Every structure is written in C-alpha cells, then in structure tokens.
Amino acid sequence: MPNIRTRLLVVLVVLFGSLSVAGPTPATAAPLPDSLWFDQTPLTVRNGRFVDGNGREVVLRGYNVSGETKLKENNGLPFASTADARKSATALRALGGGNSVRFLLSWAYAEPVRGQVDITYLAKATDQIRAFLDAGIRVYPDFHQDLYSRWLFDTDSWYTGDGAPKWAVDLGDYPDEYCGICPFWGQNITSNEAVKQSTYDFWHNEYGLQDAFLDTAQKTMTYLRQNLTADRFAGVVGFDPYNEPHAGSYDSGQTSRTWERDVLWPFYERFRARMDAAGWQDKPLLAEPNLFWNANLDFQKQEGGLLDTGTLGPRYVFNTHFYDQKAISGIFMWGKAEDGQYAGDFGTVRDRAAATGTTAIISEFGHPLTGSVSDKAPTVYKAMYQALDSRVKGASWWSNPAGSGPVLSGSQWQWDVYNGRHHELMNDNPDKVQTSGDAWNGEDLSAVRLDDSGTPVLRQDARLLDRVYPSATSGTTVAFTYEDRSRDGSTTLTWNPVPSSLANVAQLVGSGQYGLLLWRSNSGTAPTELHLPATFPTASTTVVSDLGTAYAPPSYGSATPVGVAAEPGGTGSRRLLLTDTDSGVLHYALVTNGATAPSTALLTAARSELSTWAAQKAG
C-alpha cells in the first residue's frame, strides 16, 4: 500500500523538531544473568513471523501488565513501586511461563496538563519496564483506553473509564453519561452518548486531541529510547498505539470497514511516523482493527480486520483481541468450551495476518475467574491456548499436523499482583471504594495475586498457564501441539491423547504432559528453544527427537544436540535447546514428563514411531 502520507509526516516531524524529552544517558547494561550468546537480540518481522537476530522464529507468550494502570490508586502505573514490578516480573517468568508482556501506559498520567509531559510518570514507567527487561521478558507498551476516559463518568456512576486526560474531556460539551440497561460495562461503547461523542472527537482530531496524543506518544517513545540501554531497548518489541479502537459514531454513509480504511489506518500511519521520529524505526507498530471485527455474537460483529489496507509488511503487526462473549454472557453458551472451540476464530486471525503480509499477536484474551460464568474458565482458557498453538483441534492433530499453521503469540488478560487488595475510589467517590477482584467495572481476570506473606501465587491451574511452547525456532515451524492435562475441578482435561497406533510414544507419555514440535531447518547456528514449565524438572523430563533421545537431558553445550539451560534473567526458569546443523530438513522433538526412567529400548522404539509418523504426515 502506498505510504505517501507517512513519508510526508516524517518530513514534517523532522522539520518541526523531534519533540524529544531530555533524560540522562543510560549506562551500559551488563548481560542478563543466564544469557547465552544467541540471547538479547531485537525482534523484527520477516516472512510473516517475529524473527530474532539469529533468524529464528519467535513466539511471544505472556500477560498484560496490568489493569492497575486503569486505576488512580497508583497514578496510572502498573505497580506501586519498582520493587513490586521486579517481584511481579520474576513471578511472571517463573510461575506463569511468560517471555513477554503488554505493558499498559496511561495518556491521562503521561500528559495531565495539555502540552506538558509528566517526566516523573515517564521515569517511573521506564523503571518498571526495565524490571521486566532485566528478567529476560520482552515488552511492548500499549497506550490503553476503555470508554475513552474516567472523567466522563459521574461520581455515583455504575461504571468508569480510563485513557484520556481530564483536560481532553473538558474541551468537549459532552452529555451526562448514561448507558441505560447495560449489565456489561462494554455496552457503554455503543450506548453511552458521552463515550460515543468523545471517542468520535478523538478520531476526528477535534480540539487537536489526536495531535496532542501523538505528541505525547512520541515524547514517551523518545524518553524510553533515551533512558534504556541499547541491550534493554532491544527487548522492546514495538508499540501498541491504541487499545480496542472503535469509531464512537459513524458519519453518514460510513461503515465499520470504511472507517478502518479512512480514519483508523491514517491514524496508524501518523503514529508510525512518530515512532520513526522517536528512533523506533526498526520496531513494528502493533495495529488493532475495529474492536468488533471478530466478535462471536452476530449482533455485535462489525465488518473489519484491516481488509482495505493492502500489505502491511514488516513495519506493522496484525494485533487483535479475543473474548468469548457467548461464554461471558451466560446466555448464549450454556455449556463449557470443548476441544477445538476456538480453532476457527484464531484461524481467522492467522488468515488475516497472512493476507496482510505480516505476523499476528492476540494481545488480549481471557475469561472471568469469579462470578456466575467462572465455571467455564478452565475449559475456555484451555481452548484458547490450544488455538494459539495450532489451528487443528486435538482430536484431529495427530492425523493432520501439517494443518496447524503458525504458532500464535498472545498476552493473557491479565497479571495484577494487587488482585483482591485494591483501594480504588471509583470515580473519586470515597463512598465507592473498590477492593475486590481487579477493582475495575466488576472485572476479575487476574491470573495472579499476593498471598498473606506478599508472595505472588497463581489463581489458575499452573498446568494451564506454565506451558511448553516454542519460544524460538531455528527454521520454519511446521506444527506444534501441547497437551497440558489441566484440570476442570477434579477432572483432568485431555483433548489430544497420543493415538494407540503410536503405542511406544503413548507408553512413554502415559498420563503426563507432552509437547511436540515439528520444524524445518534453515542452516542457522542458534538452537531451537522450547520453554520448560516447572512441571518439567530436568531430572524427570524425557526428550525424543530425530536429533537424539534423552531422559534427564544434559546441560546445553554447542556440541550437545539436546540440552537444557536456564532462561535469561535469573528467574530460575528453564528451556530445552535443540541444535541441528543442516538446512531444509524436517526435524521433530517430543518433550514429556510422563515417563519414569524409560529404558533405552522404549526411547528407541518411540523415536522410530515418531520418525515414520513425521515423514508420513509432514515430510
């Protein structure tokens, strides 16, 4: 797609100054603890995948950090202190298995006075981002908003918002907020005139609102680049400009699709120019389509998905959210999620990314953990993670692994260590102090909380969250699956059993968890990496690969085809490293914790079965 407007905007920004924010020159960072020679390289987009400096396909898995940014109690920051950020980052890596976070920022607190960026806020946010980078976790910032702004809402309102500063709301003569019969906060998006009109004004740059936002975004990005070392800045993936965009109201004759083409996409081009001017030229913009483009309720769904933007290419990422509104409603889906429930929904994301010539990330997904529909959560999350791993449901995976498609990156909503311990004055009302759940519009989705000793603990099954996944593949991923054996109450959910035709593989796996990766090599020298959950202690992990077999695999070495090493960041998390020395060859690796001291004969027999199966199904 022609980018004439983008180039013109870059020229204008250069002519009128870079809007840089002064800050101290950061000192050179020491290598992260447990780093190896192939770690800490920046990511780019190539051939429809995230790719590191060694040419490996990278999968980002992690969480949103966090909904605390929506609240006033910590002044728009995810954490009350950098110490809390460090504690959270370590736990996210060690307990949650994450290698990345979507880090929420607030326009309201970044620019509390028009034209004046709050350097104190930027400094604190940068310190908290640094805590995650130092734990070996990649970061992509997000200027977050919901319902445009908290300052639209009355002190006694049922709901609240976040995003735009008070001065931005004061500029408009907006009606008193009112949603009518709205049992879900998201209905304000299309039913609350105050939200609709203020959102419309932003997209049409009334009162110079969009210009002000872009100025602040550029200053924020400039500050981050100037105040992170080059090694740390390499861990910043890109930028998510605007959470869940929606028109507010459409102009006469306008549709959701033409709004994306004529209003939303030009905004992304403007933001892209600001990224370039701030020194983020080599990092992608993570572009979200119209919020409702992939809604799974027909009356909510609106046509979109960046259908008219042409080829986005490597400077953009197709970035979307997915929540099962049928399941959340409690009305439109009575039962629980099943094997393959979201294969089609996430397959559509893969298809849209491929059509636009880039990679995809699902930067929000989740389900309430308390309330009337929380009984669905174990199956909904399992089905969502299953769909991130493969577009083929478990019952069909072994017969059709080649249909898997790329492994999707994703960030679960959310990771809030203050869950259940908030003290938020809703809309500044001292009579409406929110303490439970996420303290925001009745939501409760955090995967983590603090116990009474102040230690982060999971609120969900660790077998579900801390997963085997291919964090870096040296070559092209052909297929991947993971059977987590997570629980729904006392029931073990097994949606992808090893078929009886692979009797030795089935015996090896038994009732344990397993992951299986197939990839085609590309002559790279850096190894393929699989994250090893805490449920896969090295001493009881079995690997069966065409590269070799191992029970209790040895420490990684350059001459070790199958080895284990710590993940960078000093958090105690570990990875399986698989080294090939060829190009264009199909490789496979099964990793399981189901066996206890398997015999050499069983390992050899399982390897023979897998080799025959891989050649037949994916060769």
Side-chain angles (χ1 to χ4, degrees):
M1 178 179 181
N3 286 314
I4 298 173
R5 282 176 293 184
T6 301
R7 291 194 290 270
L8 287 173
L9 283 166
V10 172
V11 172
L12 288 171
V13 168
V14 171
L15 286 173
F16 291 101
S18 65
L19 300 173
S20 63
V21 179
T25 301
T28 301
L32 294 183
D34 299 321
S35 289
L36 297 171
W37 66 267
F38 43 82
D39 294 324
Q40 292 181 262
T41 65
L43 296 187
T44 54
V45 176
R46 188 190 314 162
N47 298 324
R49 305 289 191 275
F50 285 115
V51 176
D52 70 8
N54 303 294
R56 299 182 300 174
E57 292 182 358
V58 169
V59 172
L60 301 174
R61 289 289 175 87
Y63 304 84
N64 281 262
V65 179
S66 74
E68 174 70 22
T69 299
K70 301 182 182 186
L71 308 181
K72 192 174 182 180
E73 63 182 1
N74 284 327
N75 295 316
L77 290 166
F79 302 98
S81 66
T82 303
D84 280 1
R86 292 194 190 100
K87 178 193 293 186
S88 186
T90 298
L92 187 146
R93 191 80 149 136
L95 299 179
N99 67 356
S100 60
V101 294
R102 181 176 183 239
F103 191 98
L104 275 59
L105 297 170
S106 170
W107 178 23
Y109 291 94
E111 190 187 7
V113 177
R114 182 165 193 169
Q116 298 180 25
V117 172
D118 187 338
I119 298 300
T120 300
Y121 175 79
L122 295 187
K124 289 180 178 179
T126 302
D127 282 345
Q128 293 182 11
I129 287 173
R130 191 179 293 115
F132 284 84
L133 297 171
D134 288 350
I137 297 169
R138 295 185 186 270
V139 174
Y140 60 105
D142 152 52
F143 262 120
H144 207 80
Q145 72 80 38
D146 297 280
L147 311 184
Y148 191 68
S149 175
R150 68 180 281 120
W151 283 280
L152 285 172
F153 291 84
D154 300 329
T155 56
D156 60 349
S157 177
W158 286 8
Y159 298 111
T160 189
D162 68 282
K166 184 178 184 300
W167 61 259
V169 172
D170 291 343
L171 288 171
D173 183 20
Y174 302 122
D176 190 44
E177 58 91 10
Y178 177 69
C179 191
I181 302 174
C182 291
F184 301 103
W185 70 259
Q187 292 174 261
N188 283 272
I189 297 169
T190 54
S191 298
N192 190 324
E193 281 300 319
V195 173
K196 292 169 63 177
Q197 291 181 28
S198 56
T199 301
Y200 178 94
D201 282 352
F202 175 84
W203 292 118
H204 290 78
N205 201 22
E206 291 293 327
Y207 318 111
L209 287 168
Q210 193 176 119
D211 292 338
F213 174 80
L214 291 168
D215 287 349
T216 297
Q218 183 177 335
K219 292 173 185 177
T220 299
M221 289 185 285
T222 299
Y223 187 92
L224 286 169
R225 179 182 57 79
Q226 291 177 344
N227 290 275
L228 293 171
T229 63
D231 285 345
R232 288 185 176 118
F233 190 57
V236 177
V237 176
F239 211 105
D240 183 350
Y242 196 92
N243 179 67
E244 297 181 351
H246 184 262
S249 299
Y250 294 116
D251 289 321
S252 177
Q254 191 177 54
T255 66
S256 56
R257 181 167 174 171
T258 60
W259 178 81
E260 277 193 352
R261 182 193 66 199
D262 299 334
V263 178
L264 181 61
W265 184 250
F267 165 76
Y268 285 144
E269 290 184 309
R270 298 185 75 198
F271 199 98
R272 175 73 263 179
R274 299 305 187 103
M275 290 178 70
D276 295 347
W280 292 52
Q281 300 95 325
D282 299 326
K283 299 183 184 296
L285 182 154
L286 283 66
E288 297 188 39
N290 166 33
L291 165 63
F292 296 115
W293 82 279
N294 61 342
N296 69 344
L297 288 172
D298 289 342
F299 60 83
Q300 278 191 338
K301 193 176 181 69
Q302 298 180 9
E303 189 177 21
L306 304 181
L307 293 168
D308 301 300
T309 54
T311 300
L312 303 185
R315 285 164 54 80
Y316 295 88
V317 168
F318 187 81
N319 169 22
T320 188
H321 297 174
F322 183 81
Y323 293 93
D324 185 348
Q325 295 297 343
K326 291 181 180 179
I328 292 173
S329 72
I331 299 172
F332 298 101
M333 184 183 118
W334 287 99
K336 298 185 179 184
E338 300 176 345
D339 177 22
Q341 182 98 8
Y342 307 116
D345 297 296
F346 285 32
T348 299
V349 174
R350 289 177 171 90
D351 292 341
R352 284 303 307 137
T356 56
T358 187
T359 190
I361 188 167
I362 298 183
S363 58
E364 283 190 30
F365 63 94
H367 188 84
L369 297 181
T370 56
S372 61
V373 298
S374 60
D375 64 307
K376 304 178 192 296
T379 57
V380 167
Y381 278 102
K382 182 179 176 73
M384 288 182 176
Y385 274 110
Q386 179 194 55
L388 286 172
D389 291 342
S390 171
R391 69 189 301 161
V392 178
K393 68 179 184 178
S396 306
W397 192 88
W398 284 91
S399 61
N400 183 30
S404 288
V407 182
L408 286 176
S409 294
S411 300
Q412 180 177 325
W413 185 273
Q414 64 160 329
W415 189 269
D416 174 19
V417 292
Y418 307 117
N419 176 269
R421 296 174 179 269
H422 293 282
H423 188 84
E424 173 73 0
L425 278 63
M426 185 175 180
N427 299 318
D428 300 315
N429 187 339
D431 296 324
K432 295 190 72 173
V433 179
Q434 306 296 299
T435 59
S436 62
D438 300 338
W440 197 85
N441 285 343
E443 289 196 335
D444 187 8
L445 283 83
S446 178
V448 70
R449 64 177 177 85
L450 297 179
D451 66 15
D452 290 341
S453 69
T455 301
V457 293
L458 294 178
R459 302 178 65 226
Q460 295 179 265
D461 189 347
R463 289 162 291 212
L464 172 73
L465 299 184
D466 190 13
R467 310 174 61 81
V468 173
Y469 62 91
S471 52
T473 301
S474 185
T476 302
T477 301
V478 175
F480 174 71
T481 191
Y482 181 55
E483 179 49 76
D484 55 46
R485 312 275 192 186
S486 57
R487 309 300 200 262
D488 180 10
S490 60
T491 302
T492 298
L493 300 173
T494 301
W495 291 353
N496 193 356
V498 179
S500 58
S501 58
L502 300 171
N504 292 290
V505 177
Q507 180 182 342
L508 192 67
V509 170
S511 60
Q513 300 167 294
Y514 78 87
L516 179 54
L517 174 69
L518 291 90
W519 76 100
R520 198 169 297 279
S521 59
N522 67 351
S523 71
T525 56
T528 290
E529 299 186 22
L530 289 162
H531 170 70
L532 287 177
T535 53
F536 282 71
T538 303
S540 57
T541 291
T542 301
V543 181
V544 177
S545 172
D546 65 294
L547 301 173
T549 63
Y551 176 71
S555 297
Y556 167 76
S558 58
T560 306
V562 177
V564 172
E567 289 178 317
T571 62
S573 55
R574 294 161 304 109
R575 49 186 163 170
L576 176 68
L577 298 172
L578 305 161
T579 304
D580 61 63
T581 58
D582 45 37
S583 180
V585 176
L586 180 69
H587 295 287
Y588 65 84
L590 170 81
V591 53
T592 181
N593 58 8
T596 301
S599 67
T600 300
L602 180 58
L603 291 173
T604 300
R607 183 181 183 184
S608 177
E609 285 181 347
L610 284 171
S611 293
T612 300
W613 169 83
Q616 291 175 343
K617 300 298 183 181

